[in-house]
Amino acid sequence: MMQINRKGAGSLPQLRTEPSHPGAALPEALWRTDQIRRAEVELAGAAGISLHDLMERAGSALFDHARRYWPEARHWWIFTGPGNNGGDGFVLARLALAAGLSVRVIAARDPSALKGEAHSAAAFAAAGGVVERFADDHRIPAGTSPGPDLVIDALLGSGTHRPLSPAMTEIVAAINALPAPVLAVDLPSGLDGDTGQVLGAVVQATRTLCLVGLKQGLLTGQGPSWCGELDLHPLGLALADWQAPAARRIDYPGLAPLLTPRPRSAHKGHHGRVLLVGGNQGMGGAILLAAMACLRSGAGLVRLCQHPANPAASLTQPELMGLPASVLLSAASGEACHPLAPAWESVRVLGPGLGRDEWARPLFEAALCRDLPLVLDADGLNWLAQGPRHQDNWVLTPHPAEAARLLGCSVAEVEADRFAAVVSLQARYGGVVLLKGAGTLIADGQQIWLCHEGNPGMAGGGMGDLLSGIIAALLAQGLGARDAACLGAVIHGEAADLAAAEGERGMLASDLLPWIRLLANPDTPDRLRRRWQNS
């Protein structure tokens, strides 16, 4: 298992090849915040652990975490709010005070108004600690202590799902203005732990120590941009034995075993035939990228059906074959005018560069099928949005704008709750749905998977076309739709992470092709491990 590591503000989580310390690797299970709240009550009760003891454990875990990553920090500013997060902050403050550190606690609420966390605040005060209120004029109290070399965000917990109040927004802004690293308790204040949506304002964390279970919103939507480096402490509660998680995290090392070795007697006919349909006039690059990724992912034979004005694909890549659009149209109408009129292919890809003009419309209808695995992407999805239908043989791969068209809503609504969006897409259209973006989501009607691999260098033309080709090649080689979508997503993201070694900005989709080939081979994990160890 690998741990998430963040390079800098605004970037997606990256993979670190070795955990930073024993037990630091993140689990696969992802949870909703309501599940975590129930688990805390049920599992702690079953283990004879009081909620006060659980708060003590949380504060102790945070203290150890802060000392581990900022051992030189001597001046800690701890911002506390109402609820359990504030209580965790008071426990942390008491422990830091006992360790001889300079501790300043700035509370969003008068400690006399505290409820569940009142005991922890009282214990801090009994130990000689002083609590300051965030000033009514929305400024941090002047105080007399030095500036912070570590800030702790213990303002709001995972139960926050509404926009922050004006007062809390001011506190968040004050934290973000401090020139010191920030450790967020459980999740950055202002981030929805279920969706990854920013609730008006959010703390920019350097690290986040997630407690009990990994909240799903930290890994998708805006979550990866704000949580910093992400770690988990279960506080002694065994969620794995409790109930099914809301989603599961996937990565390349976990899914690489799906790539079984080929027998020595293998030939091209054993690895599937893929027909890609798209490439309208002036958009031949999209279908060519998809086809190249398909070849590099191991498909036996690949054929393109594109606009006749485009150069023949074989001029760019001799291994690619062509199919005139007229043949596909004739086959769809029942005419037998060509030896390839009966379905030659075992998998179809429909949409890269297809366009939305009168040349594309009949080709879209002709290429739709129910008797072959089908990957639908790009303008194929836009045509589908105009005539919705439900099929179980396809993999749909929308980005947020395409998802919004398919659902008849805005992009903002899709991004506000990506989990709800991917579930709605799958329910409406069937098959397997892969919602691209920061924290790609895959749903098959039974389970949701989250791929956190990848980086901002993927924000460029042609990246989605590569993914379509990878998934189609995996389908052609015998994987089911769910496995092909999940494995395709992690190959795509891991290839981008490897290609980004030379920089994210300016990375091209075609830069991923050599890495896709490397990752599509079953012995790659061993070779990559040796490469990582020698680097």
Side-chain angles (χ1 to χ4, degrees):
M1 191 69 65
M2 296 185 179
Q3 183 181 353
I4 290 177
N5 177 36
R6 181 172 170 275
K7 293 181 178 177
S11 65
L12 299 185
Q14 305 297 304
L15 291 178
R16 188 161 49 219
T17 58
E18 295 295 336
S20 57
H21 58 90
L26 294 174
E28 293 180 1
L30 305 177
W31 305 88
R32 296 188 309 273
T33 56
D34 64 313
Q35 289 179 298
I36 297 296
R37 287 195 295 273
R38 293 200 309 272
E40 289 176 347
V41 174
E42 295 177 15
L43 294 177
I49 304 169
S50 70
L51 294 183
H52 170 70
D53 290 339
L54 202 61
M55 192 173 289
E56 289 287 326
R57 290 186 180 190
S60 179
L62 288 160
F63 177 76
D64 292 343
H65 200 70
R67 293 306 299 269
R68 174 178 179 80
Y69 289 104
W70 296 281
E72 304 301 322
R74 305 296 301 172
H75 305 286
W76 293 14
W77 286 19
I78 303 174
F79 289 79
T80 64
N84 291 339
N85 258 37
D88 298 340
F90 281 114
V91 174
L92 170 63
R94 189 188 77 236
L95 295 173
L97 199 65
L101 300 175
S102 168
V103 179
R104 188 179 187 192
V105 173
I106 302 169
R109 178 179 293 183
D110 189 333
S112 63
L114 301 180
K115 297 180 181 178
E117 68 278 23
H119 187 280
S120 298
F124 171 67
V130 176
V131 180
E132 304 173 65
R133 278 289 311 279
F134 193 77
D136 292 335
D137 60 1
H138 306 311
R139 290 184 296 178
I140 297 174
T144 58
S145 65
D149 45 24
L150 178 62
V151 175
I152 312 294
D153 166 26
L155 284 174
L156 298 172
S158 58
T160 304
H161 301 289
R162 293 181 296 179
L164 270 57
S165 67
M168 195 62 74
T169 299
E170 293 289 344
I171 301 176
V172 167
I175 290 174
N176 288 340
L178 291 170
V182 177
L183 171 61
V185 177
D186 203 25
L187 77 170
S189 293
L191 185 72
D192 190 307
D194 287 340
T195 66
Q197 181 184 19
V198 170
L199 302 170
V202 62
V203 168
Q204 177 67 73
T206 309
R207 299 192 76 96
T208 295
L209 181 60
C210 201
L211 302 172
V212 181
L214 193 57
K215 284 73 178 174
Q216 62 182 21
L218 289 167
L219 293 174
T220 194
Q222 293 297 313
S225 294
W226 298 96
C227 69
E229 296 191 39
L230 185 58
D231 301 282
L232 172 71
H233 198 298
L235 304 183
L237 302 183
L239 278 177
D241 302 325
W242 181 55
Q243 65 174 227
R248 292 193 178 276
R249 186 180 61 86
I250 56 175
D251 57 24
Y252 179 76
L255 295 185
L258 290 172
L259 297 164
T260 56
R262 290 180 170 181
R264 298 296 297 173
S265 59
H267 61 75
K268 60 188 178 184
H270 290 157
H271 308 303
R273 300 175 175 183
V274 179
L275 173 65
L276 297 100
V277 182
N280 206 330
Q281 188 170 7
M283 295 189 287
I287 197 168
L288 185 59
L289 283 168
M292 290 291 293
C294 197
L295 285 173
R296 290 301 188 184
S297 301
L301 293 166
V302 179
R303 192 180 292 275
L304 273 63
C305 178
Q306 60 175 338
H307 197 284
N310 292 334
S314 59
L315 295 178
T316 301
Q317 190 68 38
E319 294 84 357
L320 293 173
M321 299 177 287
L323 177 71
S326 59
V327 174
L328 187 60
L329 294 170
S330 297
S333 67
E335 299 177 19
C337 63
H338 193 282
L340 295 177
W344 164 89
E345 65 277 13
S346 55
V347 176
R348 284 183 183 175
V349 177
L350 174 56
L354 179 64
R356 284 183 265 181
D357 59 12
E358 290 307 309
W359 177 84
R361 182 191 299 274
L363 201 58
F364 170 77
E365 295 295 340
L368 278 181
C369 60
R370 291 182 178 272
D371 56 344
L372 293 173
L374 174 65
V375 180
L376 204 59
D377 186 28
D379 281 324
L381 296 168
N382 293 324
W383 283 110
L384 178 63
Q386 295 185 25
R389 65 192 78 191
H390 188 287
Q391 292 186 193
D392 292 326
N393 66 314
W394 54 27
V395 177
L396 309 182
T397 62
H399 57 54
E402 291 158 350
R405 295 184 195 107
L406 289 166
L407 292 173
C409 65
S410 67
V411 175
E413 288 173 294
V414 170
E415 290 291 80
D417 191 341
R418 289 169 53 80
F419 290 94
V422 75
V423 168
S424 296
L425 285 165
Q426 197 284 326
R428 182 174 299 187
Y429 293 96
V432 174
V433 177
L434 185 152
L435 178 58
K436 293 180 283 199
T440 290
L441 300 178
I442 300 110
D444 69 346
Q446 302 295 322
Q447 177 71 59
I448 300 174
W449 295 268
L450 187 151
C451 171
H452 63 258
E453 307 209 36
N455 61 76
M458 301 175 76
M463 289 290 178
D465 303 311
L466 295 178
L467 179 60
S468 295
I470 296 169
I471 294 172
L474 296 173
L475 289 168
Q477 293 169 84
L479 269 66
R482 177 198 65 191
D483 288 348
C486 289
L487 180 56
V490 300
I491 288 176
H492 188 233
E494 182 73 0
D497 286 339
L498 291 167
E502 298 179 6
E504 295 173 354
R505 185 174 288 114
M507 187 169 70
L508 304 180
S510 55
D511 294 336
L512 274 60
L513 289 169
W515 299 109
I516 290 170
R517 179 190 175 189
L518 186 70
L519 294 164
N521 286 279
D523 61 340
T524 291
D526 290 334
R527 284 187 284 137
L528 283 181
R529 191 174 295 110
R530 291 194 295 270
R531 177 177 298 184
W532 285 327
Q533 290 172 347
N534 294 331
S535 63

